[in-house]
Amino acid sequence: GSEMCIRDRCILVGSQLSAQNSIQELLTAGVDDTESFMTSYFKPGARGALYAVNAGWYNSAKAKKFLGFEISIIGNASLVDDEKKSFLLKTSDYNNIRFSSGQNEMEVATVFGVNEPEIYVLIDYTAPDGNVGTARIMLPQGAVNQSLNAVPAAFVQGSIGLFKGFEFKARFAPEIEYDDVTTNLYGAGIQYEFTSLAPADKVLPIAISGLIGYTHFDAKYDLDQMLVQGNGANVNTSLNTLNFSGIVSTNLPVINFYGGLNYMTGNAKSNLDGTFILLEGELEGQTVKNPIGIENSIDGFSATLGFNLKVGFAGLSASYSFQEFDAVSVGLNFGI
């Protein structure tokens, strides 16, 4: 660990002075400024998660026969390009934050990015005792203190054929914890094959269907390892999304190709939870609980191309989706 000194008061901190630590320090600027910053900081993360969890909904437009089923292990990754790794911070949008360099606006790291070199801001405040002060803090780096190039999502998905042309889908990922991050996912969907209405549906070379799917995704970032003046501190993010797809696929025995047009819409809520003792600023000496809550509404279109190889009861499918965050999806499929 090392020492961090604030106005002649020193506290021991761990060697990881991370994004989470800086987010707590931002509270020196007040709740409004912190919420404004966190909204921009987390927005690409919410959008990246939207595209990651909505890939892999389908690998064919052909509906399964009645009680025919498939179990799939699916891994997705939405790709993060450089423009998602920073956002333009304008000091005119904030009440108490200014750059120590004197600039009025700068590109600063989002949850995916990293500031190289580190970027410092000055926060002007009036303490409860009337004293005017200025705090100098480092802006947060990305969530893992390095540049991220992909947002992963993995889950098990099951499909079962219902009455003519309908197929029910469910997806689930148990609670997984890694590097102080805990995630879980669940969802359900319905696919309907329009070509099942045609009398020659068994011999048509293509199938056409529509799909609607709902996914819920939770992520919790445990900050207790990073924060000295926090208790029970974490960032909780909850994402609810709907996916609407029109799908076309070939209808052949072994290898098939499929394509889809998709519209996704969702809502992401993030909260900074915990009990914090503020060392300086307008709330100096106060203990604040669960101080920050932000919300991002998100939507987007995509086009998907993929293939599905099936031999006996086992199969492999893979697809690429062209969208704001391009996504790759690979599935191992077992069923009849």
Side-chain angles (χ1 to χ4, degrees), residues 202-245:
K202 297 291 189 296
V203 295
L204 282 174
I206 63 166
I208 301 170
S209 66
L211 177 144
I212 179 170
Y214 164 79
T215 305
H216 177 87
F217 175 75
D218 285 316
K220 176 183 175 183
Y221 302 84
D222 184 358
L223 310 186
D224 272 355
Q225 305 304 313
M226 316 294 185
L227 294 172
V228 179
Q229 301 293 343
N231 182 30
N234 53 68
V235 174
N236 284 311
T237 296
S238 180
L239 179 73
N240 291 289
T241 80
L242 281 174
N243 179 85
F244 303 88
S245 297

Side-chain angles (χ1 to χ4, degrees), residues 253-254 309-316:
V254 178
L309 174 67
K310 187 168 185 180
V311 181
F313 67 90
L316 171 71

Side-chain angles (χ1 to χ4, degrees), residues 186-203:
Y186 58 83
I190 286 283
Q191 184 171 329
Y192 177 69
E193 183 194 342
F194 298 109
T195 41
S196 68
L197 297 170
D201 71 313
K202 297 291 189 296
V203 295

Side-chain angles (χ1 to χ4, degrees), residues 10 42 79 94 109 132 159 162 166 189 192 205 215 225 255 257 261 286 297 336:
C10 296
F42 281 116
L79 310 179
Y94 294 82
V132 175
S159 304
L162 304 177
F166 281 97
Y192 177 69
T215 305
Q225 305 304 313
I255 187 165
F257 300 91
L261 293 175
Q286 295 186 36
S297 293
I336 57 172

Side-chain angles (χ1 to χ4, degrees), residues 142-160:
V144 292
N145 274 355
Q146 62 189 27
S147 186
L148 272 183
N149 294 314
V151 182
F155 47 87
V156 175
Q157 183 163 291
S159 304
I160 187 167

